[in-house]
Amino acid sequence: MVNLSQSPFHLTQEQSEFVTQTVTNLTLDEKIGQLFFVIGQDENLETFIETYKPGGMMYRPGLAASIKKNIQTIQKHTNIPLFFAANLESGGNGIISEGTWLGNPLQMAATDDTESAYQLGKVASYEANQVGCNMSFSPIVDIDYNFRNPITNTRTFGSDPNRVLRMAQAQARGLEENHVIPVIKHFPGDGVDERDQHLLSSINSLSADDWSTTYGHIYKTLIDEGAPSVMIGHIYQPAWERKLCPSIDNKDLRPASASKFLIDGLLRSELGFNGLAITDATAMVGYNVIMPREQLLAETINAGIDMILFNKNIDEDYAAIRKAVKTRIISEKRLDEAVTRIIATKVAQRLLTLDNKLGITIPETLALKPEEHAAITAKIAKKSVTLVKDRDKLLPLSPNKTPRIRLVVLGDSDEGGFKEGGKVTDLFKNGLTELGFEVTPYQMDFHEMFEEGVEDLKQKFDLAFYVANVETASNQTTTRLNWIQLMAANAPWFASSLPTVFVSTANPYHLFDVPYLSTFINAYTGTPETVTAVLHKIVGQEDFEGVSPIDPFCGDFLAKL
């Protein structure tokens, strides 16, 4: 069974006995309920809790007052306090609509200062704490090795494992400062493949040795420092499965979310992780294609994972686990081991007191500190914006030198899943206008499309200013620059004749699609503070301070010219 006196629990004898007794006193249905980390509910809260008795709940962003009311209602109604989690990857906006969008992790990395990552954790956890959110599905410790990966990208701290580790350590410290539990993810590590585990089981194809010196080093260090929880991805790591079982056939390889070799073998035995293991969302295609779901849920628990995130059909999933326990596919010992880790984590993290109460109180009054947190956001923005290249020395811009600007903004739509949603068109248009430029937003005109030549453009404009606010998002196969299909009319075909500046406020790899451009800037996140920092820098009011945490040239010699 689990040694509760060891890391990451460090429980006293009294606390350990309390955990053991609590698990013993739970009914079978209550134990099964603890295994499930369900999606946030807004209606019939008491009935839902009575019916399913879940161990955790994850909310998507909503109004603070509503989220807080729901969490308070549930915590008062349950016998065992729940984990309440959110994706606090970029700030408190991961849990509440009014929360601070501090910036994506890659923007923190671009400051090359761990203070930025610490503030990311601290601000996010402070705002989460205001509404009762006690767990963060971050830091992300994936390594952005493959620029074609459509999901890691700005969600990571970059392609340098040492920087990823330093930033993750700092973010976790900030989260813990306000009693929010960090969950490091996505084991065994995303960013090698160019595919999205939301859509299929992806592959970490590093050799066992290479994995151990990169991803493994990060996980081992954080585990040794007491990381309380790890999120398990729907990601294969074939080299380590083969190392642990040399005779294994390819058909028997499994993503980590169903692999006993990768969880009990690699994560727990090799890396020494004794804490709480949670799957990534099991609604993902990458999970459901492994094997029939009823069988898969039992395989997940038997692999050494303790909690199942989300459901397809909650009644079917509960019934599948109940059947697996009744038929001893999941042993009573394994069930109790998982529940013990869940209860022990709640005790160790002060969610559950020895008198069966919620240990961390939810503030009575919201106090979100918007001005203070906006100042932190602005400071990070100032340090992160990165000048990738300025071959023709177009910078600094000046209304005296290039007064008339054609502004072309790509992206900036409401389409797509759980994007951050920052729109930048008006921010750039108004900001450039205030700096004294005459700004004309690009408007597609099919008549002009085939009549507009270089000289026409030069008579109307002195400079083309491109902004790509094309955010990566889950469930998209690729995220690249997409032009108007008819003749790519909005592409910078004129760049060798008309000075052109390109700014990316999201994906840092767009230079791969426009390698011929002279001037390219990465801003990483489309916050208003970041746009302001870009504007200050392009006119020479501030220096560019950012240090690229990835290779923005994507290994392309043309992009470096």
Side-chain angles (χ1 to χ4, degrees):
M1 293 297 288
V2 187
N3 189 330
L4 301 181
S5 65
Q6 293 183 351
S7 181
F9 305 111
H10 301 294
L11 299 189
T12 65
Q13 182 68 28
E14 182 183 16
Q15 289 173 318
S16 297
E17 290 173 356
F18 170 80
V19 170
T20 301
Q21 192 60 52
T22 299
V23 174
T24 300
N25 291 342
L26 293 176
T27 66
L28 177 60
D29 281 350
E30 287 172 331
K31 290 179 180 179
I32 291 171
Q34 285 295 305
L35 302 182
F36 285 95
F37 215 118
V38 299
I39 196 161
Q41 303 294 309
D42 294 321
E43 298 177 354
N44 303 317
L45 300 180
E46 293 89 347
T47 301
F48 185 90
I49 294 301
E50 287 175 1
T51 302
Y52 299 108
K53 304 172 180 64
M57 187 175 286
M58 179 187 175
Y59 271 100
R60 297 294 186 184
L63 293 173
S66 176
I67 297 287
K68 179 177 180 178
K69 181 180 178 182
N70 288 348
I71 291 177
Q72 285 178 318
T73 298
I74 292 169
Q75 294 291 41
K76 288 177 181 177
H77 199 76
T78 184
N79 291 329
I80 298 176
L82 274 69
F83 296 121
F84 276 98
N87 281 333
L88 302 180
E89 299 173 3
S90 303
N93 66 327
I95 181 63
I96 54 175
S97 305
E98 304 96 320
T100 303
W101 185 17
L102 209 73
N104 297 334
L106 200 64
Q107 184 171 13
M108 307 302 114
T111 68
D112 203 27
D113 184 355
T114 55
E115 175 67 16
S116 301
Y118 164 73
Q119 290 295 342
L120 176 61
K122 182 179 179 182
V123 170
S125 63
Y126 174 84
E127 294 177 348
N129 184 270
Q130 292 294 302
V131 297
C133 173
N134 54 47
M135 177 177 274
S136 172
F137 289 155
S138 65
I140 294 173
V141 296
D142 297 323
I143 307 171
D144 204 40
Y145 280 136
N146 192 327
F147 76 90
R148 292 184 175 89
N149 188 296
I151 187 64
T152 51
N153 205 279
T154 57
R155 295 177 72 206
T156 73
F157 289 118
S159 58
D160 176 2
N162 293 322
R163 182 187 283 115
V164 171
L165 176 57
R166 293 196 308 271
M167 293 288 169
Q169 288 169 317
Q171 184 185 7
R173 191 169 71 251
L175 289 167
E176 290 171 332
E177 189 164 307
N178 289 302
H179 309 297
V180 170
I181 305 166
V183 181
I184 55 177
K185 65 182 186 183
H186 306 81
F187 183 86
D190 208 346
V192 178
D193 203 341
E194 62 184 71
R195 298 174 292 181
D196 177 3
Q197 59 168 313
H198 294 79
L199 300 174
L200 74 168
S201 306
S202 58
I203 301 171
N204 184 315
S205 57
L206 295 185
S207 69
D209 287 343
D210 287 344
W211 184 90
S212 294
T213 59
T214 54
Y215 292 93
H217 174 66
I218 292 171
Y219 277 100
K220 177 63 174 169
T221 303
L222 294 173
I223 288 167
D224 287 348
E225 291 174 354
S229 184
V230 174
M231 177 175 282
I232 312 302
H234 315 309
I235 303 170
Y236 288 88
Q237 216 304 313
W240 259 103
E241 283 206 294
R242 292 189 178 109
K243 183 172 182 175
L244 293 170
C245 182
S247 62
I248 194 169
D249 290 334
N250 284 345
K251 64 181 177 59
D252 296 322
L253 295 171
R254 295 282 183 267
S257 48
S259 171
K260 192 172 181 64
F261 293 120
L262 294 180
I263 305 305
D264 270 353
L266 178 56
L267 180 62
R268 296 213 184 275
S269 297
E270 296 286 335
L271 299 181
F273 182 61
N274 188 38
L276 182 69
I278 306 170
T279 69
D280 204 342
T282 63
M284 293 183 186
V285 179
Y287 180 77
N288 286 287
V289 296
I290 301 171
M291 61 183 70
R293 188 172 176 94
E294 179 179 327
Q295 177 186 353
L296 180 56
L297 292 170
E299 291 278 343
T300 292
I301 298 301
N302 283 335
I305 296 170
D306 307 302
M307 297 190 78
I308 296 164
L309 180 61
F310 296 171
N311 308 99
K312 275 295 188 181
N313 179 293
I314 192 168
D315 293 317
E316 287 183 4
D317 286 356
Y318 271 57
I321 295 295
R322 189 176 292 108
K323 179 180 177 181
V325 173
K326 291 284 190 182
T327 57
R328 299 184 181 178
I329 293 173
I330 297 175
S331 68
E332 183 179 350
K333 178 182 178 182
R334 173 64 197 120
L335 176 63
D336 284 353
E337 180 184 60
V339 176
T340 295
R341 281 203 182 94
I342 296 165
I343 302 300
T345 301
K346 292 180 178 182
V347 171
Q349 298 294 325
R350 301 199 301 163
L351 296 187
L352 177 61
T353 65
L354 300 191
D355 54 357
N356 281 310
K357 293 182 180 178
L358 178 65
I360 298 175
T361 58
I362 302 172
E364 288 296 324
T365 305
L366 284 171
L368 295 179
K369 301 181 181 179
E371 293 182 2
E372 178 181 329
H373 292 170
I376 295 170
T377 305
K379 184 176 180 181
I380 290 169
K382 183 176 182 294
K383 292 189 66 174
S384 61
V385 175
T386 307
L387 179 61
V388 175
K389 71 173 183 177
D390 186 25
R391 180 188 63 218
D392 298 335
K393 307 300 180 186
L394 299 182
L395 302 180
L397 301 182
S398 163
N400 297 323
K401 186 169 58 174
T402 55
R404 301 169 303 168
I405 290 181
R406 166 177 273 188
L407 176 64
V408 185
V409 181
L410 308 171
D412 234 18
S413 72
D414 290 318
E415 301 173 4
F418 297 103
K419 293 186 179 182
E420 300 288 355
K423 291 182 177 296
V424 300
T425 300
D426 288 344
L427 295 174
F428 275 103
K429 180 179 181 297
N430 296 337
L432 288 166
T433 301
E434 290 171 7
L435 288 169
F437 296 95
E438 178 186 330
V439 182
T440 303
Y442 175 81
Q443 304 242 340
M444 183 178 66
D445 186 313
F446 283 100
H447 295 290
E448 288 186 4
M449 193 179 298
F450 299 103
E451 298 175 0
E452 193 173 57
V454 171
E455 293 305 316
D456 295 321
L457 281 170
K458 291 170 75 172
Q459 286 180 12
K460 292 186 288 187
F461 304 109
D462 304 299
L463 180 129
F465 195 97
Y466 276 75
V467 179
N469 194 37
V470 182
E471 297 177 281
T472 58
S474 58
N475 301 302
Q476 292 182 342
T477 304
T478 59
T479 304
R480 299 277 291 278
L481 293 180
N482 290 313
W483 310 107
I484 295 171
Q485 290 188 3
L486 191 58
M487 301 295 289
N490 61 336
W493 58 270
F494 44 74
S496 61
S497 301
L498 185 70
T500 303
V501 172
F502 195 106
V503 178
S504 172
T505 55
N507 188 332
Y509 297 116
H510 288 316
L511 191 55
F512 184 73
D513 287 325
V514 284
Y516 46 82
L517 290 184
S518 160
T519 304
F520 190 95
I521 296 163
N522 269 329
Y524 310 104
T525 311
T527 63
E529 293 85 355
T530 303
V531 173
T532 297
V534 171
L535 293 170
H536 286 170
K537 293 173 192 302
I538 62 172
V539 297
Q541 294 176 2
E542 294 176 2
D543 292 333
F544 286 91
E545 300 180 48
V547 178
S548 184
I550 47 86
D551 172 19
F553 304 105
C554 306
D556 180 10
F557 76 93
L558 290 173
K560 295 181 180 180
L561 297 178

